[in-house]
Amino acid sequence: MQPADDATESALAAGERTTTHTTRLGGKDLSDQVQSWQVERSYATDLPPAMRAFSGSSSAQLQLQLSGTGGVTAPELYAPWAPRTTGDIARPGQSVVHRGGVGTTALPAFRGTVRSRSAQAGTDSVQVTALDGAERLRGPAQLPKPYAGFWWGRPVATATWCVDELLRQAGVHSAPPPRYPDFVEGQPLTLVHAGLHGGFAAPYGQPETLPHPSSYTWTRDGAPHEMALLPSTTGVTASWFPRSRVTVPGSLLFAEAWVNPAIGAGDTVTLELALDRTGNARGAMRMEVNFAEGWVRIHSATVDGTWWYFQWTWTALRTLRGPWHIGTMFDTTNSSGSTIYPTVQPRLSGPDGTQLLGTAVTFTETAGLQYAAELRELKLVTDMAVEGVQLTSGLTGIASTALFSQAGAWTKAAELDDAMLPLYAVPRVSGSQWEAIGQIAKASMSTAEFTERGVFRWRNHTRFNSTPTEADLALTSVRDIASLTLTEEIDACRNYVVQPAKVWEDFGTTAGTTYSDTQVRTIPANGTLTVSYVMAEEEFDIGPPGTDDDSVVTDGSQVRFATTKAGTTAVKGAVDVLTRREDGYLVVRFSNRTSQPLYTAKKDGTPSVYLMTLKPKADTVERQATAYVPGTASERYYGRQEHTGETTDWIQDLSSAQSLANALYDAGAYPVPVIGDVEVLYDPRVQLGDVVRLTDTSGTRLDTLAWVVGISTSAAADGGVRQTLTLRGTQPNGTPADAGLTPDAAADPAAVTLSTYAQVAAAFPTLSALTASGFTWGEIKESAYV
């Protein structure tokens, strides 16, 4: 329920009938011009109405009837062809905020945008219809397609992560968003953004290394914002390829993450940039934070070789427990050659707002020298809860305090439930973002909705694991209930449940579609070249190709850059390579960081761009999870009632399928009486998913708990408000007893007297006599002619 102030609580307790409301369109108060209003919200569930569970999405609708003002009619002011100076207040897409309440206080009732307006000439009325935050999710649904899940045989995402990503695409955030998601020439760019809200998949960048699922869980308790990766052992490692392999020297990179050292298996977290040098050589720059000892170290190194680091010691790291925001600048721009001594600087923000900014320092020891390379991957090694890993290129220096915190750049407008339905391959989605979220809700038996304040809320089926014992609100026929109808039906009984799953049983990858360029391409000096390749929707993602040189050839996607079109000399660390999927194409962008033209040529002068997708080496296998207990009272009284869930790509392991089957079995083992629409005394606090206690002493003898799955509230011009609730029972009305009853048998066949052997022998003394009669065996057996 919505929280209310003391005045509202007192008015409701006293049965206050005086109502109030405020309505704003485009931020302007039009309350005095509202003739009538109606708000409707309900779950679009497809489960039987009498099942002790529900799922689906909810999109609230507000209907307003506006009058004119100042002697000017509403159609003149707000009709589609009205002047923009007044008409834009009711245009489609305009903001709408509505509040309603009793007494003098109004609570949030609706927040959304205008969907349509209708004006009839000769009247003083304009009808306005608005929908809630679901209108913000009308963009095309798109999800990344990483291959790491079936490569490793480990979950790469969950259904919860997919919901969070679809929300993010529409600007509905549960945590800080990517800093620079869109490519704009000359502007910073987000190379990696891994929210870690139930998955390692990323909208920008691509997961490469996945930890074993036994080494971590996903937690909401203690997460810096919404959900975090929580190690159950030390040294949990994950890594991501960037969406652009930027060059070193030449790049300024800023790596960051949100962590909580108060929960986890240890006290250390590391963010490392792996650099791909000539041949098999590797470089590394990393930030390591030890909260137990209170220091930050920034390393510059050659992998399996020499290294050097700077250290900053701060007492606050040891004493302040809670969410920390950590970040480090790695600056490799101050170089005119093929080597660089990086300049580094850490920035951290504590749980109490403490700001820690280290002094910028430059490596001078040879061990810290970095050679020509491309950025290979961002690696996370953590002992503690982590959320929001991000890597940005193109900044001009260390992020300021305001930029670092992203204060004012986003609003938390989404609340998730625990991560569920692990995915080894992210399913394909179609339609709008809202439609895709509805599909996931149906498959996972979850609910999706926007609250009265415009905050998205996602809830799993786990809420049905236990029957509620307390109510948010009590409704009685003595005062609150105006009408009530109860119905009981057997169709909702489900005591034999089957839930199919598309299970991965044979992991690994094989080559998919390949793309070999047909021409050697020229990348201008200090310029860019963009090439598009047709890519089918079902293909899995391709990261930026690795840059070959004359001493090594990269497996998979690769490219070689040469100083001449004949390909005579290869260059390394000279070209940024960015890839993105766009409208059925894989777009590859080459940015030359040198003052001479470069060419995509092999050593023999043939084209060097080679792209290769990966696909699973085997398809999924359909398996079934069954929930059934033989010999139960449910089966004895109602018979065996089967329910088979939908086969869907969102269920990819048997344990998840079994969990859903068990939930459906528990919810449907006994039919729950259907509670018809209940007209009640208006209460602005009621929300979808609330539990109410219904007590009817006037006839049905009802005293039970029920979930609110639909709310309709309307107010007429006279100020009266009607509220109708759609409810679903939380428990059946007990096990049948049939006391004193002896139910009739299911069948009552007519009695048939059968002939005995003696009777047949007497009627037909010989076989020839029996044969001559021409009677059938059935006619003789049933005594018809004996």
Side-chain angles (χ1 to χ4, degrees):
M1 294 185 69
Q2 290 196 75
D5 58 19
D6 292 341
T8 300
E9 297 278 2
S10 299
L12 290 169
E16 177 64 63
R17 302 284 178 167
T18 303
T19 61
T20 185
H21 81 273
T22 61
T23 304
R24 297 199 311 273
L25 277 76
K28 184 177 180 180
D29 193 334
L30 297 185
S31 303
D32 294 339
Q33 296 172 242
V34 176
Q35 298 173 327
S36 64
W37 57 268
Q38 181 177 11
V39 179
E40 293 186 346
R41 58 181 78 238
S42 63
Y43 292 123
T45 180
D46 64 341
L47 293 178
M51 184 171 282
R52 193 191 63 82
F54 53 90
S55 64
S57 56
S58 169
S59 179
Q61 176 177 278
L62 170 68
Q63 291 181 308
L64 299 172
Q65 186 172 337
L66 299 177
S67 63
T69 184
V72 184
T73 66
E76 292 180 86
L77 293 171
Y78 310 127
W81 288 101
R84 285 293 183 183
T85 53
T86 58
D88 279 352
I89 200 171
R91 64 165 176 80
Q94 186 60 268
S95 67
V96 181
V97 175
H98 179 75
R99 298 169 64 91
V102 296
T104 59
T105 306
L107 299 180
F110 178 89
R111 182 176 291 265
T113 55
V114 174
R115 181 69 172 169
S116 66
R117 58 179 169 179
S118 176
Q120 184 174 356
T123 68
D124 185 24
S125 179
V126 170
Q127 303 286 341
V128 175
T129 301
L131 294 182
D132 67 3
E135 276 295 281
R136 301 167 61 186
L137 299 167
R138 299 299 182 186
Q142 297 175 332
L143 290 173
K145 302 175 180 64
Y147 59 77
F150 49 83
W151 173 284
W152 288 93
R154 299 171 181 177
V156 70
T158 61
T160 307
W161 182 93
C162 295
V163 170
D164 187 66
E165 169 58 19
L166 291 167
L167 292 170
R168 185 204 63 78
Q169 293 171 10
V172 181
H173 301 296
S174 59
R179 294 186 178 276
Y180 302 96
D182 300 323
F183 177 79
V184 179
E185 183 68 41
Q187 296 297 313
L189 181 69
T190 298
L191 301 182
V192 174
H193 182 268
L196 298 178
H197 289 173
F200 300 95
Y204 307 110
Q206 183 171 217
E208 172 63 9
T209 301
L210 301 178
H212 194 278
S214 65
S215 66
Y216 68 88
T217 57
W218 303 107
T219 183
R220 297 182 69 240
D221 295 333
H225 294 283
E226 185 60 30
M227 187 181 295
L229 169 70
L230 180 62
S232 54
T233 183
T234 58
V236 171
T237 301
S239 68
W240 297 265
F241 286 151
R243 61 168 163 167
S244 178
R245 294 191 187 276
V246 297
T247 56
V248 171
S251 299
L252 190 151
L253 299 165
F254 187 74
E256 61 186 307
W258 290 85
V259 302
N260 189 348
I263 55 175
D267 303 294
T268 304
V269 61
T270 299
L271 292 173
E272 179 177 308
L273 307 183
L275 305 175
D276 185 7
R277 296 178 180 173
T278 300
N280 292 316
R282 295 285 185 269
M285 298 184 293
R286 69 178 181 271
M287 173 195 199
E288 183 179 4
V289 186
N290 189 311
F291 287 91
E293 299 181 14
W295 50 254
V296 175
R297 291 176 181 170
I298 301 181
H299 300 246
S300 182
T302 295
V303 176
D304 297 329
T306 57
W307 51 273
W308 196 260
Y309 70 83
F310 291 103
Q311 177 170 309
W312 295 259
T313 302
W314 286 299
T315 302
L317 294 175
R318 291 187 292 104
T319 58
L320 294 178
R321 289 291 178 174
W324 279 83
H325 189 188
I326 64 172
T328 292
M329 174 191 74
F330 300 96
D331 188 353
T332 69
T333 58
N334 189 24
S335 173
S336 58
S338 60
T339 60
I340 182 70
Y341 284 106
T343 298
V344 297
Q345 187 177 14
R347 177 182 281 282
L348 299 89
S349 177
D352 64 346
T354 295
Q355 299 295 317
L356 304 177
L357 179 63
T359 302
V361 292
T362 302
F363 288 89
T364 57
E365 295 290 331
T366 304
L369 187 65
Q370 291 296 336
Y371 297 86
E374 294 88 22
L375 175 65
R376 175 177 174 80
E377 61 185 325
L378 170 64
K379 182 185 295 184
L380 166 72
V381 183
T382 182
D383 303 343
M384 64 192 66
V386 182
E387 179 180 6
V389 174
Q390 189 164 182
L391 179 63
T392 307
S393 70
L395 296 177
T396 57
I398 187 73
S400 65
T401 301
L403 180 63
F404 186 50
S405 67
Q406 294 181 261
W410 69 287
T411 299
K412 191 176 190 304
E415 298 174 0
L416 305 174
D417 207 337
D418 294 338
M420 64 176 302
L421 299 189
L423 303 172
Y424 297 89
V426 176
R428 293 180 60 187
V429 292
S430 60
S432 69
Q433 294 142 351
W434 182 248
E435 289 170 336
I437 288 175
Q439 294 165 10
I440 300 172
K442 180 180 178 181
S444 61
M445 218 171 93
S446 304
T447 56
E449 69 201 77
F450 281 88
T451 69
E452 295 79 359
R453 295 180 178 273
V455 176
F456 177 87
R457 186 167 55 185
W458 176 267
R459 291 180 178 177
N460 295 338
H461 69 79
T462 51
R463 74 166 88 176
F464 309 121
N465 288 349
S466 59
T467 303
T469 58
E470 297 182 0
D472 299 302
L473 176 68
L475 303 174
T476 68
S477 58
V478 175
R479 195 195 76 161
D480 308 280
I481 301 175
S483 63
L484 174 65
T485 302
L486 297 178
T487 306
E488 189 174 21
E489 58 186 33
I490 198 173
D491 286 347
C493 182
R494 297 289 188 267
N495 53 29
Y496 188 96
V497 178
V498 177
Q499 178 58 61
K502 292 188 175 181
V503 179
W504 292 88
E505 295 184 346
D506 190 5
F507 293 105
T509 61
T510 186
T513 303
T514 59
Y515 306 83
S516 296
D517 213 346
T518 57
Q519 60 179 294
V520 174
R521 301 182 185 272
T522 304
I523 311 172
N526 296 312
T528 62
L529 169 69
T530 301
V531 186
S532 297
Y533 302 90
V534 176
M535 189 173 189
E537 182 66 24
E538 62 270 15
E539 298 282 3
F540 287 87
D541 292 337
I542 299 178
T547 301
D548 289 341
D549 54 65
D550 292 336
S551 60
V552 67
V553 175
T554 306
D555 292 333
S557 299
Q558 56 190 266
V559 63
R560 180 181 183 271
F561 302 108
T563 55
T564 67
K565 202 164 187 177
T568 51
T569 304
V571 294
K572 191 74 173 174
V575 179
D576 293 353
V577 184
L578 178 147
T579 58
R580 67 180 186 272
R581 297 182 75 152
E582 188 176 282
D583 300 329
Y585 289 88
L586 177 68
V587 180
V588 184
R589 185 178 186 275
F590 303 104
S591 299
N592 188 350
R593 299 307 182 196
T594 70
S595 58
Q596 63 174 326
L598 295 176
Y599 304 89
T600 59
K602 295 181 181 179
K603 197 168 185 178
D604 60 3
T606 58
S608 66
V609 177
Y610 176 77
L611 304 173
M612 183 181 75
T613 65
L614 295 174
K615 63 181 182 180
K617 72 176 184 179
D619 294 331
T620 56
V621 178
E622 184 170 322
R623 301 295 186 196
Q624 293 183 339
T626 301
Y628 169 65
V629 179
T632 61
S634 171
E635 186 174 2
R636 185 165 64 253
Y637 287 107
Y638 299 111
R640 186 178 298 184
Q641 303 288 338
E642 181 269 348
H643 172 77
T644 299
E646 181 180 353
T647 302
T648 171
D649 290 330
W650 293 101
I651 305 174
Q652 298 182 2
D653 67 308
L654 270 180
S655 60
S656 295
Q658 191 64 58
S659 177
L660 286 170
N662 291 343
L664 283 166
Y665 177 88
D666 292 341
Y670 294 94
V672 177
V674 176
I675 304 169
D677 290 345
V678 182
E679 188 173 339
V680 299
L681 188 65
Y682 174 50
D683 191 328
R685 300 171 299 173
V686 178
Q687 293 180 294
L688 289 181
D690 282 350
V691 177
V692 299
R693 176 172 290 281
L694 291 177
T695 304
D696 178 21
T697 58
S698 61
T700 63
R701 317 305 301 175
L702 175 68
D703 185 7
T704 189
L705 297 176
W707 282 294
V708 178
V709 296
I711 308 170
S712 177
T713 308
S714 60
D718 60 6
V721 179
R722 297 181 59 183
Q723 187 173 63
T724 302
L725 304 181
T726 303
L727 303 175
R728 182 164 293 211
T730 64
Q731 57 187 356
N733 58 352
T735 303
D738 290 352
L741 302 176
T742 305
D744 291 328
D748 183 21
V752 177
T753 302
L754 301 179
S755 303
T756 65
Y757 181 84
Q759 290 173 322
V760 174
F764 305 100
T766 64
L767 177 60
S768 57
L770 179 62
T771 303
S773 69
F775 297 137
T776 66
W777 165 250
E779 290 171 336
I780 296 174
K781 181 66 176 175
E782 295 177 2
S783 304
Y785 301 97
V786 175

